[in-house]
Amino acid sequence: MCYFGIPLDVRKSPAIYLWAEDRAGNRSEATFYCRMRKKRFRKAKIRVTDRFLKQILPGFSSYLKDTPQGNVVRFLKINQDLRQENAQAFHDLRTKTVQDRLWEGTWLRMKNAANMARLGDRRTYYYKGKKIDEQVHMGVDLASLANSDVPASNNGRVIFAGSMGIYGLTVVLDHGQGLASTYSHLSSIAVQMDQEVAKGEIIGLTGQTGLAGGDHLHFGIMVSGLFVNPIEWWDGHWIQDNVLRKLALLKGGKKGE
Ligand SMILES: [Zn+2]
C-alpha cells in the first residue's frame, strides 16, 4: 500500500499508475480506479508595508548578504528564492519516513485557534498599491494567544527541529508510511531530533519567527513530501472513509467495494 497526494497546480487529471521494476530492469505498469474531485482555492491579498519589511528583514540578514539594497528587492528574494529552497528542504524530508505506521486515528488540531489562512490560498502581494508577487500558501494558519502550546498532531518521530528560512523555527514529525506534519513560526522548540512523541505532547510554542506578521502556527501535512490539505486529516469521517476503511479491506483480504 502507499499514499499519494496530488499537486495543487494540476489542471487536468494526471496519469496515475503503479509501476514495478525488478533488478534486471523489467518494468511493468498498471492503472487503477481513481477519482479526482474539483477543488476551488481562495484568493487573498497581502499588503506589504514598510513597517512589516523593517520588522522581518533583519532576521534574514545573513541570507541577504549578497542581495542589493532596497527593502522590496530583498523581500522578493526571501519570498521567492528562499521559499523555493525551503519547499525543497521539506520535500527532501520524505526519505526520512519509516515504513511502520506510527499514527493513530485523526490528527489533532491546535485547540481554541482561529483559522486565518488555508492550504492553497493564492496570495497576491501588494506594495504601495502595486502588485509585486504571487505565491501559494502551503499550509493552514492557526492563531491563538501568543506563545500558545503546540501539540503533536499525531504519534510520530521528530525528523526536523530547527530554523527553516521563511518558516522560522520549525518542527517536522514523521508519522510513518510517508505521512508527516509540520509546525512553523514557533517561538521555541521543546523536542529534539529523532525523539518519539505521542499525540497531544507539547512540541513547542507558537511565535512569529521567519516570515510572519504576527504570532500564529503554520501547520502542514505532507504525503511523501507533498503538502496536502490538513482539514481532511483532522476529520474523523474523512480518515474513516478514505484511509481506515481501505486499510481494513487490505488486512481482511476482501475485495474492494
Ligand atoms: Zn502560513
Side-chain angles (χ1 to χ4, degrees), residues 9-23:
D9 53 1
V10 158
R11 293 264 173 255
K12 287 183 290 180
S13 288
I16 296 171
Y17 56 89
L18 288 161
W19 62 274
E21 196 174 275
D22 67 13
R23 283 183 196 168

Side-chain angles (χ1 to χ4, degrees), residues 20-252:
E21 196 174 275
D22 67 13
R23 283 183 196 168
N26 298 306
R27 187 182 159 105
S28 181
E29 285 180 10
T31 53
F32 57 95
Y33 175 72
C34 184
R35 186 166 69 102
M36 269 177 72
R37 268 175 294 202
K38 263 208 174 131
K39 167 92 183 132
R40 273 183 191 279
F41 295 102
R42 300 194 302 185
K43 285 186 180 134
K45 277 186 183 176
I46 294 195
R47 273 180 54 230
V48 177
T49 61
D50 286 322
R51 198 179 148 200
F52 173 69
L53 293 175
K54 271 199 196 120
Q55 181 196 319
I56 60 111
L57 286 174
F60 296 96
S61 55
S62 62
Y63 182 78
L64 292 168
K65 65 182 190 306
D66 299 321
T67 307
Q69 289 304 312
N71 281 352
V72 174
V73 175
R74 292 162 82 79
F75 168 75
L76 291 177
K77 175 86 180 162
I78 296 167
N79 207 37
Q80 297 170 354
D81 297 4
L82 186 54
R83 181 183 293 274
Q84 204 161 352
E85 285 175 33
N86 299 153
Q88 186 62 49
F90 276 124
H91 188 66
D92 290 346
L93 289 172
R94 72 195 183 284
T95 58
K96 295 202 170 189
T97 194
V98 293
Q99 283 192 21
D100 296 331
R101 172 178 157 185
L102 307 177
W103 63 275
E104 219 176 303
T106 51
W107 270 250
L108 272 189
R109 183 189 185 282
M110 190 172 76
K111 275 185 214 150
N112 305 321
N115 200 337
M116 307 304 283
R118 297 183 198 165
L119 178 104
D121 285 357
R122 273 149 175 84
R123 291 175 157 178
T124 309
Y125 295 78
Y126 293 89
Y127 177 75
K128 293 186 172 161
K130 205 179 127 227
K131 180 175 148 183
I132 53 167
D133 205 4
E134 275 179 321
Q135 297 294 337
V136 178
H137 188 241
M138 298 308 283
V140 172
D141 287 350
L142 299 169
S144 180
L145 298 171
N147 304 314
S148 289
D149 285 344
V150 175
S153 57
N154 215 320
N155 304 335
R157 190 175 59 90
V158 179
I159 54 170
F160 183 89
S163 201
M164 171 79 93
I166 65 166
Y167 295 93
L169 286 182
T170 294
V171 171
V172 181
L173 299 181
D174 172 41
H175 304 294
Q177 304 176 325
L179 303 177
S181 56
T182 73
Y183 310 79
S184 296
H185 305 309
L186 303 177
S187 58
S188 68
I189 291 177
V191 289
Q192 293 177 335
M193 272 298 280
D194 293 320
Q195 187 178 328
E196 283 180 17
V197 293
K199 195 196 286 198
E201 202 176 316
I202 303 307
I203 57 169
L205 301 177
T206 63
Q208 50 178 321
T209 53
L211 191 55
D215 188 296
H216 71 279
L217 172 69
H218 173 100
F219 177 74
I221 296 260
M222 291 196 293
V223 171
S224 297
L226 197 73
F227 282 104
V228 297
N229 202 340
I231 288 170
E232 295 172 337
W233 300 84
W234 285 331
D235 177 352
H237 294 290
W238 187 89
I239 298 265
Q240 182 60 35
D241 291 349
N242 293 281
V243 184
L244 295 176
R245 198 155 54 93
K246 284 166 186 167
L247 288 177
L249 285 171
L250 272 181
K251 257 190 192 160

